[in-house]
Amino acid sequence: MTEESAPRWRRRALRWALTVLVVGVVGYFFAVALWDNWDAIAAEQLAFSPWWIVATVVFALAVPLTGLLWGHMVRVLDTDPDGRVSVAEAIAVQCASWLLKYIPGQVGSVVNKVVWAGKKGVSRSLVLITFVYENVFLQFASIVPSALILLLSLGPEIFGENATLLVVPVLVLVPLAAVLYPPVFHRLVSIPARRALKREVPKEYFLSTGRTLAYIVGFLGPRALNGIGFVMIAATVSTVPPAQWLPFAAAYVLAGAIGILAFFVPSGLGVREAVIVLVLSQYIPVAEAIVISLLARLLSTVGDGLVALIYIGIRRTIPKEYRP
């Protein structure tokens, strides 16, 4: 082995070791979540419903749809035509980042996108900014419509003794709103960028107000899929009349947003279910609400398995040097 090839071999070995470590950690937490949720549902002795399969697929499809929106955002803001992000790359990167949510702290999602950006030749600053946009848009798409729907359905008393749990995510929107105003967001990003990167972040990396509003509407799509899948699941456990479809969907989407805010917990484990039971118990017995929350957790975990299959399938179509 030559002196030049030795460092290359070590770098390759390190990459493989890190890949095995990350896959192992994600696989472990995924298996634990799947096993725990299966045990909880098995104890309920529920009769299988074909709607569970449909709901699982719907859950999984929300991830590539989010990837399409994120990829479009990168293409719109990227000033370098040589670093254009294809549809396949956007979906594969998004699927990988989604699966990395099982690592506590949820830092794996952003690291995955930044590392891929280095391979692709896309600005890391741009990818970080679009990552912030993506998460802010998803939070707005989750919290604002859901809170309005639940307020119209249940009235202000829904907050009552649960004010801390349900008002906090609404308050979180206040600082996040700064991201939606380009001049303010640019200043917030420029301060650390000047210190860390010793250069300014191009203003072209920030969305105009019109595009910002358009993306907020666009990111309602993935959340709508999540809500539809949840209503399908709930209808197999309890009687859910059409008048309750929107509140049930809103409960699940809002619970997901609160689970994301619990960023030190793998995938918001336990937090989301507590919110679901809290809201659904206003419509159906608590016992049924608990079963629905557990079943939704199980099927969303299975849906993550489908996301992994989507990632594996699409990744093979991407040139090796650009694969996430």
Side-chain angles (χ1 to χ4, degrees), residues 7-45:
R8 185 183 303 172
W9 180 87
R10 283 196 291 268
R11 287 195 298 270
R12 184 177 299 176
L14 179 60
R15 284 199 299 268
W16 273 103
L18 289 174
T19 301
V20 171
L21 177 62
V22 171
V23 171
V25 171
V26 172
Y28 169 77
F29 282 110
F30 175 81
V32 169
L34 188 62
W35 184 264
D36 290 344
N37 296 325
W38 174 256
D39 281 349
I41 290 300
E44 300 296 332
Q45 298 181 338

Side-chain angles (χ1 to χ4, degrees), residues 97-184:
S97 288
W98 177 259
L99 295 171
L100 287 168
K101 69 180 182 174
Y102 284 96
I103 297 178
Q106 301 191 25
V107 296
S109 296
V110 65
V111 170
N112 171 67
K113 289 189 174 181
V114 171
V115 170
W116 168 81
K119 293 181 181 180
K120 180 67 177 177
V122 178
S123 168
R124 291 184 176 91
S125 298
L126 173 60
V127 168
L128 283 171
I129 289 169
T130 55
F131 181 84
V132 173
Y133 272 131
E134 171 198 339
N135 283 275
V136 170
F137 293 157
L138 284 173
Q139 288 297 86
F140 267 87
S142 301
I143 295 172
V144 175
S146 299
L148 288 175
I149 290 170
L150 292 176
L151 279 173
L152 290 174
S153 177
L154 296 171
E157 62 269 15
I158 180 60
F159 293 100
E161 298 177 356
N162 311 296
T164 301
L165 187 61
L166 296 178
V167 173
V168 166
V170 177
L171 295 179
V172 168
L173 295 180
V174 177
L176 291 183
V179 174
L180 305 183
Y181 186 54
V184 173

Side-chain angles (χ1 to χ4, degrees), residues 89 92-93 116 119 311 314-324:
E89 288 170 332
V93 172
W116 168 81
K119 293 181 181 180
Y311 167 71
I314 293 181
R315 185 177 183 272
R316 295 175 63 87
T317 68
I318 302 172
K320 289 185 178 180
E321 61 271 23
Y322 301 142
R323 288 179 181 175

Side-chain angles (χ1 to χ4, degrees), residues 170-251:
V170 177
L171 295 179
V172 168
L173 295 180
V174 177
L176 291 183
V179 174
L180 305 183
Y181 186 54
V184 173
F185 189 26
H186 181 255
R187 284 197 203 95
L188 291 175
V189 172
S190 295
I191 294 173
R194 280 197 298 266
R195 294 181 179 178
L197 305 176
K198 307 301 181 184
R199 58 185 174 85
E200 291 283 346
V201 177
K203 290 185 178 181
E204 293 79 8
Y205 286 179
F206 298 85
L207 294 170
S208 65
T209 302
R211 285 193 180 276
T212 295
L213 295 175
Y215 278 115
I216 289 177
V217 174
F219 275 90
L220 289 172
R223 290 309 186 225
L225 287 178
N226 293 148
I228 291 170
F230 180 74
V231 171
M232 290 179 182
I233 293 169
T236 66
V237 176
S238 181
T239 300
V240 184
Q244 294 180 0
W245 288 356
L246 271 180
F248 271 55

